[in-house]
Structure formats: C-alpha cells, structure tokens
Amino acid sequence: MIDDTENIFDEHLLHGQQRETDWRFMRMALVEAVAAFDESEVPVGAVIVFQGKVIASAHNQREQLQDPTAHAEMIALTQAAETLGSWRLENCTIYVTLEPCPMCAGAIVQARIPVVVYGAADQKAGAVETLFQLCCDERLNHQCEIRGGVLADESRELLRVFFSRQRALGKK
C-alpha cells in the first residue's frame, strides 16, 4: 500500500513540475505574442525548447514580411532546425499561444516534434484539437502529445484586445 501511495505522490509531483515548466515557457511565448501585438501583427508567439533550453522564439510576421507562411510556429521551426542542424526536431517541445492552424500543425508533424503545448483554442482554424486533429492522426507517420489550454486566458485576452483595436481602426 505504501508503494502505491508513493507512486501516486511521485506522479502528482511530476504533473506539478510539468505544469510549472509549461507555464514558464508559455510565458516566454506570450512575450513574443506581445511583440507581434506591438508590431500590429496578430499576437501569436511560439517558443521551441530542446533539453530544457529555448532554441527558437518567434512571433507572427505576416504583415511585416508580406508572407502568408510567416506564422510564429513556422518561423520558430526554421530557427530550431537551423540551431540543431537538422529538420528532425525530435526531443523538442513547441509552445504556442494559439492552437496551430492546418499549415503549422502539418509542419509540426513533418518536423517530428513530439510535444505541442498551446494556449488558446482556435475556433476558426485550430488543427490540433478544435477543428482537426492533425498532430494525433494515426494515418500520418508521426503523432504528438498535446497539452492545450496553458495560460489560455492570457492568450485569448491578448487576441481579444488586438482584434477589438483593429475593428476600431476599421481594419480586419
């Protein structure tokens, strides 16, 4: 009986430590999202972690670069691949403030990232859990562990304020 209690306690500690780690790196992704906000970009940020260290961080730059693929995740994936010298981003975790779209979810699968942590669900384009489940589709050659809803309120509020301001300016 004592062994079972210790195992439950150890598992609870691991979940608590994981939650703290997720919050720490998601806060870094939120800093990137604020940078996007300040540049009048849709405020989405992404951070990629390898062996406990940030190897890539980015935010949306579609307007600045006039590039439809310049999502935070896509830029961070490119940075991480360059840092590791490989397109295979095994043993990495991506933290993104908004649930990835189909393009980004597909790129995450192609990069072989094993863990996706996201903040707010995306009711219009979410391809990890909300509309599609690309990262968990067993028909594909790679699946990811998904942890959604991490600092979701903060991510959602940043998006709400951004789009409210854009509408007030007659944009988007």
Side-chain angles (χ1 to χ4, degrees), residues 54-169:
V54 174
I55 61 167
S57 62
H59 56 272
N60 277 359
Q61 295 184 34
R62 290 192 312 171
E63 298 298 332
Q64 181 180 342
L65 300 176
Q66 289 300 296
D67 179 352
T69 69
H71 288 200
E73 302 94 308
M74 300 296 283
I75 296 167
L77 287 168
T78 299
Q79 289 175 2
E82 186 174 304
T83 297
L84 294 180
S86 175
W87 62 268
R88 288 181 181 87
L89 301 180
E90 299 163 336
N91 302 313
C92 290
T93 300
I94 187 167
Y95 294 85
V96 60
T97 58
L98 181 65
E99 179 182 5
C101 72
M103 173 182 68
C104 295
I108 289 166
V109 169
Q110 290 300 313
R112 312 296 195 269
I113 291 186
V115 181
V116 177
V117 182
Y118 71 87
D122 187 345
Q123 302 300 321
K124 294 182 179 182
V128 173
E129 290 184 308
T130 304
L131 298 178
F132 306 102
Q133 296 79 41
L134 288 177
C135 294
C136 296
D137 192 323
E138 292 182 3
R139 296 170 296 180
L140 300 175
N141 64 333
H142 175 76
Q143 291 80 44
C144 311
E145 175 187 339
I146 308 300
R147 295 195 297 263
V150 177
L151 300 180
D153 291 342
E154 293 87 338
S155 299
R156 209 174 6 261
E157 181 63 10
L158 189 58
L159 288 159
R160 187 196 67 73
V161 170
F162 175 80
F163 284 113
S164 175
R165 288 184 182 180
Q166 292 298 304
R167 284 189 295 278
L169 295 170

Side-chain angles (χ1 to χ4, degrees), residues 17-42:
Q17 289 170 344
Q18 186 60 66
R19 185 174 34 250
E20 290 296 323
T21 298
D22 286 350
W23 288 344
R24 181 167 51 105
F25 290 120
M26 188 61 76
R27 283 186 201 101
M28 292 179 187
L30 278 164
V31 168
E32 286 289 340
V34 169
F37 184 100
D38 291 344
E39 296 172 10
S40 298
E41 297 278 356
V42 174

